[in-house]
Amino acid sequence: AQQALPSQPLGPQQPQQPCVPPAAAAALGGRGRQRGPPSVPQGQDERRPKGLQISEELQQLSLGDRGGRRKDFHDLGVNTRQAIEHVQESKTGSSGVTVKLTTNYFRLTSRPQWSLYQYHVGYNPEMEARRLRSALLFQHEELIGQAHAFDGSLLFLPRRLRNKVTEVFSRTRNGEDVKITITLTNELPPNSPTCLQFYNIIFRRLLKMLNLQQIGRNYYNPDDPIIIPNHRLMIWPGFVSSILRYEEGIMLCTDVSHKVLRNETVLDFMYSLYHQVGEQRFKDACAKELIGVIVLTKYNNRTYRVDDIDWDANPRCTFRKADGSEISYVDYYKMQYNQEITDLRQPVLISQARKKSGSIVPGPVALIPELCFLTGLTEKMRNDFKVMRDLAVHTRLPPVQRQREIGRLVDYIREDDGVQKELSNWGLSFDSDLLSFTGRVVQGEKILQSGRTFDYNPQFADWSRETRGAPLTCAKPLDKWLLIYPRHNYDAANTLLQSLSKVTPSMGIRMNDPTLIEVEDRTEAYLRALQQCVTPDTNIVFCVLSSARKDKYDAIKKYLCTDCPIPSQCVLARTLSKPQTAAAIATKIALQMNCKMGGELWNVEIPLKQVMIVGIDCYHDTLSGKQSIAGFVASMNQTMTRWFSRCVVQGRGQELVDGLKGCLQTALRDWFKWNKCLPSRIVVYRDGVGDGQLSTLVDYEVPQFLDCMKSVGRDYNPRLSVIVVKKRVNTRFFAQSGGALTNPPPGTVVDVAVTRPEWYDFFIVSQTVRDGCVAPTHYNVIYDTSKLKPDHMQRLTYKLCHMYYNWPGVIRVPAPCQYAHKLAFLVGQSIHREPNQLLSDRLYYL
Amino acid sequence: MDENFQEEQFTGIINFTPPLYKQRYQFVKDLVGKYKPKKVADLGCADCTLLWMLKFCSCIEVLAGLDICGSVIKKKMRRLSPLPADYLQPTERSLTITLHHGSVAQKDPCMLGFDLVTCIELIEHLEESELEKFPEVVFGFMAPSIVVISTPNSEFNPLLPGVTLFRHPDHKFEWNRVQFQSWALETARRYDYSVEFTGVGCPPRGMENVGFCTQIGVFVRKYPQNSESAQSEKPTEAVYKTVFKAVYPSLKDEKYLQNAVVSEVIFTAQIIKRSLLDHLMSEPEEYNDDPAERKSKFQPSVNSFSENLGKLVVEKSVEPFVNGNVVYIPLRTIFSFPKVNQLCGTFEKLCKFVAGRVTLSSDGSAVMFSAEHENEENWLTDFSYKVQLK
């Protein structure tokens, strides 16, 4: 009867096994009235009433106030500037030339003395049901007013009731009289974190009123989607917004956001995967591709993260509804949503509701693949040049267009009567113009290479042309090296050799002929060649790969980073085979190989002495969901051209910070070895800090760094600066040049207007982009005993953005962050354990 | 209008499973399943729960709600908006949902032409003057094929603890069965409807004589409406205020249909291309020119994504082929795939939809792709696009 899929790839063996543990089923039914099956996320699902939703957010809000359980996405409670003495007066720099900028912020012009009043609402006799409490209270709407938010016990109003304690009476439908006591418990000034979160809640209410669809944290307009059929993608334009207190008052920051949706269900995806990988590898492949992916259910507007796939379950499995009756998934979805499940042999996806949101109590939730759409990009797509290129056409908006799209939201708000009314109920209004202010463009850096100084056009932030073929600061010879290639790629290997011998002499790289090793195009053949031919004095191993097979690449890297620590260079044959680009590519490869062997390319002038720069970034293995990897690099010399590196691999639940402490200790030991002294300053650039994690950093990580330095020596007391680096910010800057909006030039520094008063923070635009809008990087100095002037801190940071050897230009983040990222990525993707320490003094991970 | 949680408060004696409000809604849903109305209006739609349930019924193309209280409609109305999935996979049926703020005692042309009008727990909220006008508005003016009216049965009230006078403070009256049935019969007689009585919420054992907790009258119009004469006297002045309108994406709309066709064509063509190239590359030694052989190899891989593909017939003349660096996939082949076929209907339509949206061969008969493997992961090497793009 269930011959839906002839090949039966998904067929579970036991048809009637309940797939969600009963405990979960019971737990999920927790809401007062039966809303359908507990284990299946439906009932709550019809979108919750707006009022209620607000209340739930409010509830979280109040929880956050009490115990800090709510994730504070904007790190509102963290006030680090107050502990940094030398920026109490001012945190702004002064060097550079001024530039007029506008930004995607709108001032919130709230009513004068606008405060939020928090009331406690009590009932006598006590009423249990929240909805009843709510209904009874709002029988007095004339007292409370149109603008209110109520979670069952806490009531927020934008105005003060006449009395501190107000008593009113309501009558239930049973004719019972209930006394309601409304007591003022708190007055929240406009700048209080609670009040700010409240503004955000109201604003989300507005976006919903504008008929925008909420997906995740942002809002999207589904009416005019962009379709990319080649990749079965659909893009919805939308907005990301937040209201926070900035240097110049409370503002709304809003940016264009694009939601990538996929035109295929999880079941569609499983079918095509089955035919790609075959039956044997099917389940593994599903787990690999699907676990961690966010899906969107067909029948409601919820997203879930896939945490597991239950192959023993299928749509005919039953679960217990809250009313105690058993029903199968297939019947349930038919009855409740008129959704037909055609393939009765598909497995069931399991999602763990992590935090209480609304009526969903934490616990497993079962989802049917056929009823779930995939969202977002897979890692595979993200790394697919063609997908990204096709997407970029639509999502990379140039400044003028971006500003227009942002302005659209303001127009929507202004033109919608309902929204205007809601705003006026709360007494809120927004500026209609983008915020303008003055920024600074700091001086470009000169590139020093092997005693020569190179000038380049700072507008382009790129010196590849100027330094092409010039001698390197430190060139490492290719005395003894291996070139491994599959037989049919002999031509590519040959082309490479010829090109390398042409380009290396001018750089100062001495090159002998390599040992040529022709192998069969199989992973084992490569490994055997490595085992047989690599010796301790091998400089580097060059592998030509015929195709981008990840397993082959991983195996080579793993072997040469752990068991047999020798630098390696893997390149696709296709990359080498185009004659017209052969010389350019060989040049770049030679530079990369030189770095991997411990060579140095260029440097910039760094006036600070005895400073060790540290870079940290994290990689989270979303696929297996188990490992996190922290990459750690530290500069070893004055010119910041040599970097020590280590890596922390840890299982779920372990704290990163212990591993980092060990890294810093070894880095200091190595520094001592090289410099015969310890650094007098340490500057840590910490990347990979998620929204809401700032307090953890301040409370745990920084003290550990300080501890570590104490442990090095009794009298050792270096000056420490810890700077949190954030690439993913919604802030955009536009420069005005001749009436038109353009990207601000590289070197633009912003430390006014849109920074946060409670932080010592600044933005730098260091890179250029070919198309779209340049994204500034946000730097937040959370700890600083360096006494460096803000100007110097900013300049040091900008200088370090020039030092990434994989790119002859300025990049988005300081080089140590990018090195740490590369290292963590390599380990997380391919190696999965800490690389051999013998490599730690080289950039082998480039 | 009912707040739906009345039963919950009556702990102990009476406890309906499923809850009574759900039973009422299920009753309407069953009725919709039976009569398959295309246009349904819910009078007194309150927080739109019934409308939300009905939007999943695939026969319905027009849904309307009316309530005297604008704020109660607005509270939850957004759940009637299309979902992301409705945009991702537009369905064949069209669906428009409209919500109006107004009184059932007033006539508005937007309520004309419905097949089913539901009045669930509505009439007991009406003032006497409104109740007087109600039959003329619903039966005389709207004149749908079917009207469903439910109202509390006051004979049941003694079984509900805590109920002194009425079940809800806003009720203006609660009728016993005789009162309701005589009103209903009189109304049906006057407007040429037949009426049958039933209900939901069975009384407990031994108390059967009190009847259902909720009494329901189902009115069916006796004669097909003589639309011409009836419509002519109807006023055209709108008195209701529209507070919400949602038009669901549908394949009946050319814009969505074309998008769906183009997506499906490209996706199908890519699958054909992939299996063709895989076949050419992986088993060159087995390759021969026997079309039957090729077909049988080709099919299983295409089978992958649709169980219906067994029906696929690949005519010899329309087989995909590789020429140099270009793969040609004839539109005829693509058209033979059930999903594409179903969407377009005719081959001419397919050609029309893809024109200008897909790269075609010079004679327009085949989709062209580069024969290069698409999804090569360039990033898996040290030296890659990623490096070049920072």
Side-chain angles (χ1 to χ4, degrees):
Chain A
Q2 23 178 301
Q3 282 303 319
L5 195 73
S7 44
Q8 309 181 5
L10 313 172
Q13 306 314 310
Q14 311 93 313
Q16 278 299 326
Q17 191 180 337
C19 33
V20 170
L28 276 166
R31 185 145 116 181
R33 198 157 313 93
Q34 297 89 326
R35 283 285 183 113
S39 50
V40 185
Q42 45 50 76
Q44 44 283 85
D45 21 53
E46 12 133 46
R47 287 174 67 207
R48 268 166 289 131
K50 224 185 306 156
L52 270 181
Q53 190 147 2
I54 300 293
S55 312
E56 272 146 18
E57 288 178 62
L58 263 181
Q59 224 173 19
Q60 293 169 338
L61 185 89
S62 45
L63 272 178
D65 279 352
R66 286 183 217 129
R69 249 190 52 199
R70 179 178 202 263
K71 203 166 176 191
D72 172 11
F73 286 114
H74 304 296
D75 299 303
L76 286 173
V78 185
N79 186 342
T80 41
R81 184 177 172 186
Q82 61 189 7
I84 306 174
E85 238 171 80
H86 67 286
V87 290
Q88 291 305 303
E89 288 285 295
S90 158
K91 65 174 190 187
T92 57
S94 57
S95 72
V97 294
T98 58
V99 57
K100 266 204 90 58
L101 298 173
T102 53
T103 181
N104 53 336
Y105 286 64
F106 298 92
R107 227 183 281 263
L108 184 84
T109 45
S110 60
R111 192 195 287 173
Q113 302 306 311
W114 202 101
S115 286
L116 195 60
Y117 297 90
Q118 180 184 320
Y119 293 88
H120 176 267
V121 184
Y123 295 82
N124 185 15
E126 191 54 52
M127 293 286 130
E128 276 302 320
R130 197 169 83 187
R131 276 173 67 168
L132 181 59
R133 292 166 73 101
S134 182
L136 291 171
L137 178 64
F138 294 121
Q139 288 181 16
H140 302 280
E141 194 142 26
E142 77 292 341
L143 170 75
I144 289 157
Q146 292 268 313
H148 51 70
F150 181 56
D151 73 351
S153 70
L154 287 182
L155 172 71
F156 289 90
L157 299 177
R159 61 197 182 88
R160 186 196 265 277
L161 298 180
R162 189 172 305 132
N163 302 315
K164 198 164 180 291
V165 180
T166 312
E167 287 184 359
V168 290
F169 288 88
S170 292
R171 175 169 291 194
T172 69
R173 63 183 58 189
N174 303 347
E176 191 180 2
D177 285 319
V178 179
K179 184 169 90 176
I180 305 176
T181 313
I182 307 166
T183 315
L184 180 67
T185 53
N186 209 347
E187 184 178 328
L188 304 157
N191 286 339
S192 69
T194 311
C195 208
L196 285 173
Q197 288 191 353
F198 200 78
Y199 291 140
N200 282 292
I201 291 168
I202 296 167
F203 195 75
R204 295 164 88 80
R205 218 190 250 190
L206 302 182
L207 293 173
K208 226 172 276 179
M209 290 173 78
L210 290 170
N211 255 335
L212 297 172
Q213 288 258 8
Q214 183 179 5
I215 302 181
R217 272 200 273 164
N218 303 332
Y219 289 81
Y220 300 93
N221 178 8
D223 284 336
D224 216 2
I226 301 153
I227 294 166
I228 307 179
N230 288 17
H231 312 294
R232 299 214 115 178
L233 296 178
M234 187 185 262
I235 305 171
W236 286 4
F239 301 99
V240 48
S241 68
S242 61
I243 299 172
L244 286 177
R245 187 165 77 113
Y246 298 95
E247 224 72 59
E248 296 195 352
I250 298 169
M251 288 191 279
L252 163 72
C253 169
T254 183
D255 192 24
V256 180
S257 165
H258 291 95
K259 186 70 195 175
V260 177
L261 297 165
R262 283 157 68 186
N263 246 336
E264 60 185 335
T265 65
V266 175
L267 187 65
D268 292 336
F269 183 78
M270 284 178 157
Y271 283 156
S272 54
L273 200 60
Y274 180 75
H275 286 276
Q276 268 171 43
V277 303
E279 182 149 13
Q280 289 227 310
R281 287 170 55 209
F282 177 59
K283 287 185 184 177
D284 284 345
C286 277
K288 209 169 157 206
E289 294 282 342
L290 289 172
I291 288 174
V293 162
I294 306 293
V295 298
L296 179 73
T297 44
K298 264 189 182 181
Y299 41 85
N300 62 27
N301 194 16
R302 278 186 173 273
T303 51
Y304 300 87
R305 193 191 124 106
V306 177
D307 292 306
D308 201 1
I309 303 170
D310 186 351
W311 294 98
D312 295 329
N314 67 42
R316 295 187 162 200
C317 291
T318 59
F319 63 91
R320 194 179 294 280
K321 292 212 301 189
D323 64 10
S325 61
E326 289 254 336
I327 188 166
S328 70
Y329 293 115
V330 61
D331 291 342
Y332 173 75
Y333 284 108
K334 175 70 194 156
M335 201 185 79
Q336 190 77 8
Y337 299 106
N338 202 32
Q339 295 284 343
E340 300 278 359
I341 298 175
T342 57
D343 189 333
L344 296 174
R345 297 181 154 252
Q346 59 191 305
V348 169
L349 308 175
I350 306 295
S351 178
Q352 304 283 347
R354 279 189 178 70
K355 51 171 199 227
K356 188 177 175 356
S357 88
S359 52
I360 299 186
V361 179
V365 164
L367 303 165
I368 306 296
E370 193 174 351
L371 303 182
C372 295
F373 281 105
L374 292 159
T375 71
L377 299 170
T378 60
E379 189 79 358
K380 204 169 151 191
M381 289 166 133
R382 229 177 259 288
N383 290 304
D384 185 324
F385 175 68
K386 289 200 173 83
V387 175
M388 297 315 282
R389 182 193 56 195
D390 292 352
L391 272 176
V393 172
H394 303 286
T395 57
R396 289 209 189 133
L397 305 178
V400 176
Q401 211 178 329
R402 193 173 205 108
Q403 193 218 13
R404 195 184 313 137
E405 293 296 318
I406 292 165
R408 233 184 240 212
L409 180 63
V410 181
D411 292 342
Y412 287 157
I413 289 173
R414 211 170 0 193
E415 286 159 15
D416 190 297
D417 292 343
V419 170
Q420 282 303 321
K421 190 156 168 269
E422 181 81 16
L423 275 173
S424 72
N425 280 344
W426 287 100
L428 295 175
S429 60
F430 295 96
D431 233 352
S432 54
D433 293 327
L434 294 172
L435 183 74
S436 295
F437 61 95
T438 308
R440 289 174 290 121
V441 183
V442 299
Q443 204 187 342
E445 293 293 331
K446 287 190 167 57
I447 296 301
L448 314 171
Q449 187 167 317
S450 184
R452 286 171 64 187
T453 304
F454 292 91
D455 276 318
Y456 58 96
N457 186 342
Q459 288 286 326
F460 300 144
D462 179 310
W463 49 87
S464 55
R465 191 176 310 179
E466 286 77 5
T467 57
R468 184 173 299 155
L472 306 178
T473 297
C474 170
K476 291 281 175 181
L478 283 160
D479 288 333
K480 193 158 183 288
W481 60 297
L482 309 180
L483 177 56
I484 306 178
Y485 58 92
R487 185 165 306 137
H488 59 270
N489 292 132
Y490 171 77
D491 289 344
N494 200 32
T495 315
L496 169 79
L497 262 188
Q498 288 178 8
S499 312
L500 278 180
S501 60
K502 265 184 225 145
V503 301
T504 47
S506 69
M507 297 185 216
I509 300 173
R510 189 175 74 229
M511 184 176 117
N512 289 340
D513 282 339
T515 310
L516 293 175
I517 306 165
E518 197 165 272
V519 293
E520 256 185 87
D521 195 4
R522 287 185 303 116
T523 305
E524 308 80 66
Y526 277 89
L527 287 180
R528 207 175 314 119
L530 294 175
Q531 281 155 5
Q532 285 166 1
C533 305
V534 177
T535 57
D537 60 345
T538 304
N539 302 126
I540 195 165
V541 179
F542 197 114
C543 294
V544 177
L545 302 175
S546 63
S547 66
R549 286 283 302 270
K550 185 167 162 28
D551 48 355
K552 196 182 291 166
Y553 177 83
D554 289 354
I556 294 168
K557 284 290 169 186
K558 190 165 189 172
Y559 181 69
L560 291 177
C561 286
T562 58
D563 302 335
C564 174
I566 299 290
S568 59
Q569 180 76 21
C570 294
V571 179
L572 269 184
R574 197 153 39 85
T575 315
L576 303 170
S577 60
K578 292 183 186 120
Q580 63 275 24
T581 55
I585 288 197
T587 306
K588 286 179 179 166
I589 289 175
L591 293 174
Q592 202 175 48
M593 285 163 68
N594 190 57
C595 298
K596 287 180 178 182
M597 297 185 292
E600 299 158 37
L601 305 187
W602 66 79
N603 63 285
V604 294
E605 200 189 323
I606 307 255
L608 278 180
K609 302 284 180 266
Q610 289 198 330
V611 54
M612 180 168 89
I613 307 287
V614 171
I616 300 170
D617 196 6
C618 296
Y619 171 86
H620 302 288
D621 190 344
T622 48
L623 291 180
S624 70
K626 289 189 182 72
Q627 283 188 333
S628 280
I629 286 120
F632 175 101
V633 304
S635 66
M636 284 292 124
N637 61 350
Q638 162 67 25
T639 48
M640 318 278 173
T641 55
R642 305 192 59 90
W643 298 87
F644 162 87
S645 69
R646 276 200 61 183
C647 211
V648 187
V649 181
Q650 80 218 315
R652 201 189 334 223
Q654 273 177 280
E655 284 298 327
L656 253 181
V657 58
D658 302 331
L660 291 179
K661 200 174 157 185
C663 291
L664 185 58
Q665 268 164 348
T666 25
L668 286 169
R669 214 174 298 141
D670 261 49
W671 168 283
F672 188 82
K673 213 166 62 194
W674 285 92
N675 300 280
K676 307 289 174 265
C677 66
L678 285 168
S680 60
R681 295 172 187 275
I682 300 174
V683 181
V684 179
Y685 287 93
R686 174 68 157 94
D687 203 343
V689 181
D691 291 338
Q693 290 179 354
L694 201 57
S695 62
T696 316
L697 227 68
V698 174
D699 296 343
Y700 300 102
E701 216 165 288
V702 174
Q704 291 282 330
F705 288 143
L706 294 169
D707 254 18
C708 170
M709 297 183 315
K710 262 188 222 135
S711 73
V712 169
R714 219 180 312 139
D715 305 323
Y716 183 50
N717 191 19
R719 296 175 167 189
L720 176 71
S721 310
V722 180
I723 300 140
V724 173
V725 181
K726 216 165 181 184
K727 296 184 293 289
R728 286 177 163 220
V729 290
N730 296 319
T731 306
R732 294 290 180 273
F733 299 123
F734 309 109
Q736 287 146 329
S737 97
L741 287 186
T742 59
N743 276 317
T748 299
V749 175
V750 172
D751 52 14
V752 295
V754 292
T755 50
R756 304 258 291 260
E758 72 275 24
W759 292 348
Y760 171 19
D761 61 338
F762 52 91
F763 292 88
I764 300 181
V765 175
S766 46
Q767 81 282 26
T768 55
V769 291
R770 230 172 306 171
D771 38 30
C773 280
V774 70
T777 304
H778 182 251
Y779 297 93
N780 185 5
V781 186
I782 58 167
Y783 183 87
D784 192 11
T785 53
S786 74
K787 301 259 183 347
L788 280 182
K789 282 198 261 174
D791 239 346
H792 295 159
M793 185 60 92
Q794 293 162 3
R795 290 295 298 277
L796 173 67
T797 304
Y798 183 50
K799 280 170 186 288
L800 287 166
C801 295
H802 292 67
M803 290 302 296
Y804 181 62
Y805 283 164
N806 241 0
W807 183 256
V810 197
I811 63 167
R812 275 182 78 172
V813 292
C817 289
Q818 191 65 12
Y819 287 139
H821 164 79
K822 278 293 271 186
L823 172 61
F825 187 80
L826 175 72
V827 172
Q829 279 279 322
S830 306
I831 302 177
H832 306 296
R833 59 186 165 107
E834 175 154 24
N836 197 307
Q837 285 290 297
L838 288 173
L839 291 168
S840 67
D841 61 343
R842 276 163 276 182
L843 301 173
Y844 65 94
Y845 40 82
L846 281 190
Chain B
M1 299 292 277
D2 214 328
E3 280 290 352
N4 300 338
F5 54 86
Q6 57 182 47
E7 289 81 33
E8 195 177 78
Q9 294 161 38
F10 309 139
T11 49
I13 306 170
I14 301 289
N15 215 341
F16 292 109
T17 313
L20 197 54
Y21 80 100
K22 278 199 175 174
Q23 293 189 32
R24 287 191 288 262
Y25 292 160
Q26 192 57 45
F27 179 85
V28 175
K29 241 183 131 176
D30 292 343
L31 211 66
V32 167
K34 188 174 162 197
Y35 291 102
K36 305 254 182 270
K38 275 191 176 173
K39 300 175 82 177
V40 180
D42 184 27
L43 309 186
C45 63
D47 64 2
C48 309
T49 305
L50 179 59
L51 291 170
W52 175 78
M53 286 173 74
L54 292 178
K55 84 168 192 160
F56 293 104
C57 297
S58 50
C59 60
I60 296 177
E61 293 179 3
V62 174
L63 265 179
L66 173 69
D67 205 287
I68 190 72
C69 177
S71 64
V72 71
I73 302 182
K74 282 178 188 162
K75 256 187 196 161
K76 288 180 160 193
M77 65 183 179
R78 306 243 160 244
R79 63 178 167 164
L80 299 177
S81 299
L83 296 170
D86 294 315
Y87 290 95
L88 285 168
Q89 272 183 4
T91 53
E92 187 56 43
R93 80 150 161 167
S94 61
L95 174 62
T96 305
I97 304 179
T98 323
L99 298 177
H100 305 282
H101 175 203
S103 163
V104 291
Q106 285 183 301
K107 299 174 182 178
D108 185 297
C110 72
M111 282 293 158
L112 291 173
F114 281 85
D115 303 311
L116 170 64
V117 168
T118 60
C119 310
I120 303 305
E121 305 296 270
L122 166 73
I123 55 171
E124 64 274 13
H125 291 272
L126 300 180
E127 298 285 355
E128 206 177 327
S129 59
E130 293 168 323
L131 185 66
E132 253 166 47
K133 292 177 192 148
F134 174 80
E136 171 53 25
V137 175
V138 175
F139 294 91
F141 173 74
M142 298 183 193
S145 321
I146 304 167
V147 179
V148 182
I149 295 176
S150 85
T151 190
N153 167 19
S154 62
E155 294 163 75
F156 200 96
N157 284 2
L159 299 179
L160 302 172
V163 174
T164 45
L165 180 60
F166 296 140
R167 296 181 193 178
H168 188 279
D170 188 54
H171 286 182
K172 307 301 185 296
F173 59 86
E174 282 175 8
W175 280 336
N176 61 31
R177 280 171 290 174
V178 173
Q179 287 170 311
F180 176 56
Q181 289 178 13
S182 60
W183 176 86
L185 287 166
E186 167 56 21
T187 303
R189 187 195 58 74
R190 198 181 323 156
Y191 295 100
D192 269 343
Y193 277 73
S194 65
V195 57
E196 279 182 24
F197 297 101
T198 175
V200 292
C202 294
R205 201 181 293 267
M207 309 287 284
E208 286 83 356
N209 59 332
V210 300
F212 291 110
C213 188
T214 297
Q215 46 184 339
I216 298 176
V218 179
F219 301 75
V220 179
R221 205 177 51 221
K222 283 183 182 163
Y223 312 106
Q225 199 178 19
N226 185 349
S227 54
E228 288 309 314
S229 63
Q231 301 275 330
S232 58
E233 335 154 357
K234 308 215 152 151
T236 49
E237 202 191 333
V239 290
Y240 299 162
K241 192 176 163 229
T242 304
V243 291
F244 176 87
K245 183 168 184 178
V247 179
Y248 278 60
S250 153
L251 294 175
K252 291 208 173 76
D253 181 336
E254 188 107 318
K255 174 178 119 184
Y256 291 109
L257 180 58
Q258 180 172 25
N259 283 341
V261 169
V262 169
S263 295
E264 203 55 42
V265 163
I266 292 181
F267 183 69
T268 308
Q270 276 185 335
I271 287 193
I272 299 175
K273 174 195 143 183
R274 205 180 308 149
S275 61
L276 183 73
L277 290 177
D278 283 353
H279 178 68
L280 288 175
M281 282 169 72
S282 61
E283 299 164 78
E285 64 278 11
E286 285 174 41
Y287 187 80
N288 64 48
D289 267 327
D290 176 7
E293 171 74 19
R294 285 176 65 185
K295 195 167 70 187
S296 69
K297 283 236 172 64
F298 175 56
Q299 273 192 355
S301 48
V302 183
N303 246 332
S304 55
F305 62 101
S306 163
E307 66 273 19
N308 293 325
L309 284 179
K311 296 170 199 154
L312 171 65
V313 183
V314 182
E315 295 164 41
K316 206 175 170 192
S317 60
V318 294
E319 270 196 75
F321 62 97
V322 183
N323 185 3
N325 220 11
V326 180
V327 185
Y328 292 84
I329 297 136
L331 283 175
R332 280 274 173 208
T333 313
I334 295 170
F335 185 64
S336 67
F337 279 69
K339 251 190 176 164
V340 179
N341 195 306
Q342 219 174 3
L343 280 172
C344 305
T346 66
F347 184 67
E348 288 64 39
K349 262 196 171 164
L350 169 66
C351 297
K352 194 186 106 198
F353 282 139
V354 299
R357 298 279 301 264
V358 178
T359 316
L360 296 177
S361 58
S362 54
D363 65 350
S365 70
V367 177
M368 280 166 57
F369 278 119
S370 151
E372 255 180 67
H373 256 274
E374 288 274 327
N375 292 319
E376 290 232 337
E377 294 150 79
N378 293 301
W379 58 290
L380 285 174
T381 53
D382 302 336
F383 186 77
S384 65
Y385 288 110
K386 219 171 185 187
V387 174
Q388 290 170 12
L389 294 171
K390 293 176 215 179

